[in-house]
Amino acid sequence: MTTKIKITINEKQIEVAEGSSIVDAAVCAGVIIPTLCFHKDLCVAGNCRVCVVEIAGQKRLSAACATPCEEGMEILTNSLKVRNARKQIIELLLSEHNADCTLCYKNGNCELQKLASDYKIMTQDFIQLAPLRKYQIDHYSPSMIKDDSKCIRCQRCVRTCAEIQGVSALTAAYKGDRMKIATFFEKPMNDVVCTNCGQCINHCPTGALVERNYIEEVWDALANKDKFVIVQTAPAVRVGLGEELGFEPGTRVTGKMVAALKRLGFDAVMDTDFSADLTIMEEGSELLMRLKKVLVDHDPNVKLPLATSCSPAWIKYIEHMYPDYLDHLSTCKSPQQMFGALVKTYYAKHFNLNPENIVSVSIMPCTAKKFEANRPEMHDSGYRDVDYVLTTRELAIMIKQAGIDFLKLDDRSFDQIMGASTGAGVIFGATGGVMEAALRTAYELVTGREVPFENLNIMPVRGMEGVREASILIENPLPDWSFLEGIELKCAVAHGLVNVKSLMDSIVSGESQYHFIEIMACPGGCLGGGGQPIPTNPEIRRKRALAIYAEDQGMPLRKSHQNPEILKIYSEFLTEPLGEVSHHLLHTHYTPRERF
Amino acid sequence: MTPGYDLKRVDFIFQDESDWKEILQKSLGRPSAELINELISSELKGRGGAGFPTGFKWKLAADELNPIKYIICNADEGEPGTFKDREILTKVPMKVLTAMAICGYVVGSHEAYIYLRGEYFFLQPALNKAIQEFQATCQELNFDFRINLFMGAGAYICGEETALFESMEGKRGEPRNKPPYPTSFGYLGKPTVINNVETLAHTYTIFKYGAKRFYDLGVQYSRGSKLFSVSGDTPKPGIYELELGMSLLDFVHDFGDGDTKAVQVGGASGFLVPQKRFAETTIGFQGKLTGISLPTGGSMMLFNSSRSMYNVLDNYLEFFREESCGQCTPCRVGCQQLLNGIKAVKRGEKNALYLDKLLRLTETMQYTAKCGLGQSVANSFSSIVENFREEMIY
Ligand SMILES: Cc1cc2nc3c(=O)[nH]c(=O)nc-3n(C[C@H](O)[C@H](O)[C@H](O)COP(=O)(O)O)c2cc1C
Ligand code: SF4
Ligand code: SF4
Ligand code: SF4
Ligand code: SF4
Ligand code: FES
């Protein structure tokens, strides 16, 4: 039991849990205190100072985000003293800021802009400092753009990269007026340990860190009569997109999203869930093959645990941080890249299209997928497998630009022959989902029976705990798999690279012995990806996760190996998992990188 | 010398320290509650800036239940033109080490650090030798106490106690949010007593002579003596130990060059007192004026009529603009605005009324900045601009 204390906020007496911050307490009193450097995902910094409030008996104002309530505290959040100070702080921020809002990518979804608007800052009395500096925009990364002239030094990105991702590609450098957010030796973003996860973008309140957008390129392709433009949509997009277009967090908008994509003019609207199911077929087979090679053949060159490979930020992370462990990665490409390789081969052949005229677009909750599509090895179709990657946010922008009234759209369904999916493909969007999908299929393949969990819901791998473990005992396997009799298949799931680091360290030290680990770089998995709507926070992630599992529950088919289009592609094109065509199109290799 | 103008010179700090073993042994034999009471009744206040009562600080830490606690001696001495802590560590290092050990005994800590300003690297060999000798004595006395030397990173802000902890923890030297305060959550998150070098040296005096000898010096709220670094337009610059509570008029009489137009009390983060206020200003923790504080150096800088107050302010602001850690808005941007602002007024690009906007800005900085640096920029700015407004404009 937490002790309750009494405090007064703007003359209203309330009871709050001891130790809660004034910002949180104010919410209980129906008062919203403006914040900038504060973010629910991050530790408190208390550096922007816009949240200052007056506490009776104190001459100085206090930062509401950083001040715990104490018994009997009398707090004023809107006194003249507070208002004057707060307004002046906003003026200061703007005086240091390159506030060309109409030319800014974040125009309309910027926390600084909102504050300026709420407080009606209509004068520029202070000297404008931004023009006195020489700012250079870093647009070298295929995933993101960093513009220091729009940075308010709130360090949300720094805390994100350190606390959520454990990467610290961005740090605060220099002091005084020269203080800035910088990379190692101020190298460009594409030349440092950055994983392109985009979490810093998602947590940045301003336009200082944004995704590199490919909206105009996609419009151009759509307008080009000679091009056949195919789009794939990742599982997490359908539970996030609605937030940008007027729906509550956690609303599933799959049908409306498909309808909107068709209205935008895409020639075929298909589903990354399809290739997620395909990933399960390939990766599940790879897992069983590795188990056999280790347990039966005692092949020293085959490594366990097998680690999933569908999160490109995780891939870049392990390439930098654990280059000696690349053999543990599944050779499977991510669902996006599997899809891309098939679009310009299998799909083109089936519909008799010239792959040269196909433009392959993907809608992803992720900025690292932009980097991934740009990797030199992702040309197995003979062309660039995925031409443009748009985030959930960019798709929302296109829908708005096209004047589509999203709320009123009728549901449509995905096109064939790479549009069918199962619940297993859908849950790829949540942490633990790949593990759950893989177990549903692999267990059945080995035993001929369904996984021993009610309604196929493997609850131990679900949830938001940073690292989760599960194990399944294999009993009475089919004859082919008799070597697995009595084996307890040990699995672990980690999301958020800071948690991934602790899992990897326990594997490196030999402390943990797993057979299979699922890694997603972003907190909550893709549903909390760097390309998802802003804001993303613990509550919103929970809602999106519920939506993902509801979508799974509502699907007629919930196991990847039941997907009819998967059966079809194996019989008509790929022949078998890990077969020669698969090997060529669906699998890849990795590159060790420097730690800095 | 005219009666009434007699400044009381005191000689405690640099007094011979050869009795340190005796003081240490004697103190370790007393109950810690008694030592704390001795310190509380002396009314010694911290000499590092904030003026927090030292006895209460030790008591707060002593009351913490955590088995691991730290003692830190703040020897970052970053205020320009002051070097009194350096003098103490050079001349009477054993006093400081003894005081740290007594503090450790009182609060229940076995690990201590001296955070030494990076530029004072030349003190390192002598200090290490002193520490070695001291540790040996601790062993003889069966007192488990280790003192380590930590070399500072060279930024002024690292003298602020929580930024100092961050810097010791290998992080960027940025002040933390308070509360929690160091006595409950300090270095490595453990209860920590952090004291200025001079504060520690005074506790030695108190444990040697008893609280009364110290308390009898000074005036109400400002007991004891203090080291002052006297500089500027004075015939006798240097370090002086003076009784607190002196009037600024007496001080100027003693140290001025006959043409003193103003005195900056407390360095860049202190106040400028113009001649017309000398008589009513008392130097202590709660002076008659605006509550004059005595930041780090106890620096007293005298200006005669040849000095441009605009240049003085310009200098201070430049210092703050560079030495701000840069994390919080009011201080990082505020300092830039103040500096650019007075330049613009001087050049005629902004009219004189802009100074009033800047004065309001310093008020916001004082109320909202995260740490003492940003909060105290207002002191010099407003006292200079209000008293020498015409020098700012023409
Ligand atoms: C910007 C800034 C710089 C400071 N620098 C020093 C310093 O160099 N030495 C010091 O003893 N205290 C310094 N302080 C004060 C410390 O934060 C702290 O109050 C002091 O070390 C406590 O010791 P005391 O109680 O003995 O005064 C500084 C404070 C601020 C805000
Ligand atoms: S970051 Fe925000 S305030 Fe700045 S220009 Fe962009 S929209 Fe405007
Ligand atoms: S994209 Fe991810 S890894 Fe790169 S700087 Fe941002 S948070 Fe760090
Ligand atoms: S880049 Fe964005 S998140 Fe990072 S400090 Fe600047 S404004 Fe804050
Ligand atoms: S007041 Fe200045 S020095 Fe202190 S935390 Fe803020 S920016 Fe840093
Ligand atoms: S939100 Fe509280 S200081 Fe920034």
Side-chain angles (χ1 to χ4, degrees), chain A residues 48-50 85-97 112 121 123 126-130 151-152, chain B residues 328-338 354 357-358 360-362 364-365 368:
Chain A
C48 75
R49 314 306 281 182
V50 301
R86 189 175 285 154
K87 201 164 168 177
Q88 220 165 26
I89 289 169
I90 301 169
E91 275 183 66
L92 286 176
L93 281 171
L94 291 173
S95 77
E96 198 189 29
H97 190 80
L112 178 62
I121 309 292
T123 48
F126 285 129
I127 293 163
Q128 295 306 299
L129 301 167
C151 173
I152 56 166
Chain B
C328 81
T329 312
C331 173
R332 180 190 66 249
V333 194
C335 291
Q336 296 176 64
Q337 288 298 350
L338 293 177
Y354 192 63
K357 170 135 184 140
L358 295 181
R360 284 196 300 279
L361 170 59
T362 59
T364 297
M365 291 169 70
T368 65

Side-chain angles (χ1 to χ4, degrees), chain A residues 442-450 452 472-488:
Chain A
Y443 187 87
E444 195 164 323
L445 201 67
V446 168
T447 65
R449 303 183 304 273
E450 287 195 333
I472 294 192
L473 184 65
I474 299 181
E475 288 171 309
N476 303 323
L478 297 171
D480 277 358
W481 306 101
S482 55
F483 67 93
L484 289 172
E485 172 65 46
I487 294 272
E488 196 181 356

